[in-house]
Amino acid sequence: SGIQMPLYKQGHKTIYQIHIPRTGGRYVRDLLKRNGFTVDGWNFTERHKETGVEIPHLQYKYLKDLNLDCDLFSVIRNPIDRFKATMSNTSYFAEYEETKYFKRPDIFLNEITSYQDFVEKIEHRNTYLSCNSFINQTDFINDNTKLYKFENGFEDNFINWFNNNFNTNIVKKDIMTLLAVPLTKDRSMKNSFDNKITVELSSKILDYVNRYYEKDMELWERI
């Protein structure tokens, strides 16, 4: 289809990273790049025609059309922590800049009145921002995807896991993260995103998050 997805190549090896938003994907990309892999498909400005989602963040049902016959891996994260990170991250999006929700995930969450309302508001936020960040991690992967837990860290643990699974010999590198362009209008790093805001979840919202991400919870506990 001409679309380039997050693909790593070295010698005879082709390894594909299913990049679930808010799971340290860019760090992994930079680590592999510095270990001599050629890296393709990390253009966050290229969007999937059907969904409008950034190509590196596409879920599996859209990937499978690409007939990826290579090793697949993904990083998965505790669903509650991922939800908090996503609420923080998306509150910096330019779409919210002129609204009461800009940098205020607490206001957004406080307005939720029921589980049904939670589902509608979260799914609307996901679609409105075309970001895929709120969908279940289980929607991104298939049965052949090798999974690594975000919580196990990205230093020696990840490197050992990667080398054992893919018969590679990557080593630790000093990573000055190559950040994607900030999504705020002024393009400055100080107004960029990630986890700048500590998101507190009320027991009610926590209950909704647990229900909504039930499959993710099962997966995360199983690994």
Side-chain angles (χ1 to χ4, degrees):
S1 67
I3 289 175
Q4 279 296 320
M5 314 299 298
L7 214 53
Y8 302 110
K9 289 181 181 165
Q10 192 178 63
H12 301 299
K13 283 190 175 42
T14 301
I15 301 168
Y16 181 77
Q17 178 180 1
I18 294 180
H19 178 204
I20 299 169
R22 316 270 57 81
T23 61
R26 292 177 184 85
Y27 175 90
V28 173
R29 170 195 70 184
D30 291 358
L31 177 68
L32 293 177
K33 208 172 187 170
R34 283 168 169 74
N35 271 283
F37 278 82
T38 59
V39 174
D40 269 326
W42 279 89
N43 183 354
F44 285 92
T45 57
E46 193 183 349
R47 291 187 175 269
H48 182 246
K49 285 189 179 62
E50 202 178 318
T51 60
V53 169
E54 297 157 338
I55 297 293
H57 284 156
L58 271 184
Q59 68 267 49
Y60 185 73
K61 67 179 172 188
Y62 298 109
L63 298 181
K64 66 178 193 293
D65 306 337
L66 301 177
N67 302 320
L68 290 165
D69 94 5
C70 59
D71 283 321
L72 302 174
F73 79 96
S74 196
V75 176
I76 62 160
R77 184 173 184 179
N78 178 296
I80 292 162
D81 292 335
R82 177 175 172 253
F83 179 78
K84 287 178 179 176
T86 299
M87 283 306 305
S88 171
N89 170 260
T90 53
S91 72
Y92 280 85
F93 276 37
E95 286 87 343
Y96 285 135
E97 264 180 335
E98 308 302 321
T99 76
K100 62 183 170 180
Y101 302 124
F102 189 56
K103 301 187 186 178
R104 293 297 303 269
D106 56 322
I107 292 178
F108 183 89
L109 292 171
N110 286 341
E111 288 178 354
I112 290 171
T113 56
S114 65
Y115 179 65
Q116 192 49 47
D117 191 39
F118 172 85
V119 172
E120 281 168 18
K121 285 195 163 97
I122 289 303
E123 291 181 355
H124 175 264
R125 190 170 171 110
N126 198 64
T127 311
Y128 175 62
L129 301 176
S130 306
C131 68
N132 254 7
S133 298
F134 288 99
I135 68 174
N136 266 273
Q137 296 173 82
T138 46
D139 290 345
F140 284 89
I141 58 179
N142 74 349
D143 292 341
N144 300 322
T145 311
K146 295 182 165 119
L147 299 175
Y148 181 79
K149 264 186 169 170
F150 180 93
E151 288 71 18
N152 292 337
F154 290 106
E155 297 278 295
D156 298 336
N157 284 348
F158 177 77
I159 287 166
N160 292 338
W161 176 86
F162 194 87
N163 287 337
N164 290 339
N165 275 283
F166 299 117
N167 193 22
T168 50
N169 52 5
I170 65 169
V171 296
K172 217 186 297 194
K173 298 286 181 183
D174 180 29
I175 305 254
M176 289 291 296
T177 309
L178 310 172
L179 286 160
V181 197
L183 299 168
T184 44
K185 287 197 193 99
D186 68 359
R187 290 287 190 244
S188 72
M189 284 319 303
K190 73 178 167 55
N191 284 329
S192 184
F193 33 87
D194 256 28
N195 304 350
K196 289 254 185 99
I197 299 167
T198 305
V199 176
E200 304 289 345
L201 303 182
S202 67
S203 55
K204 180 182 74 172
I205 296 292
L206 190 58
D207 178 50
Y208 299 160
V209 170
N210 276 311
R211 277 172 73 183
Y212 191 74
Y213 294 105
E214 190 182 4
K215 276 197 202 145
D216 278 5
M217 283 293 178
E218 284 169 11
L219 174 69
W220 189 81
E221 282 165 7
R222 199 167 70 233
I223 298 246

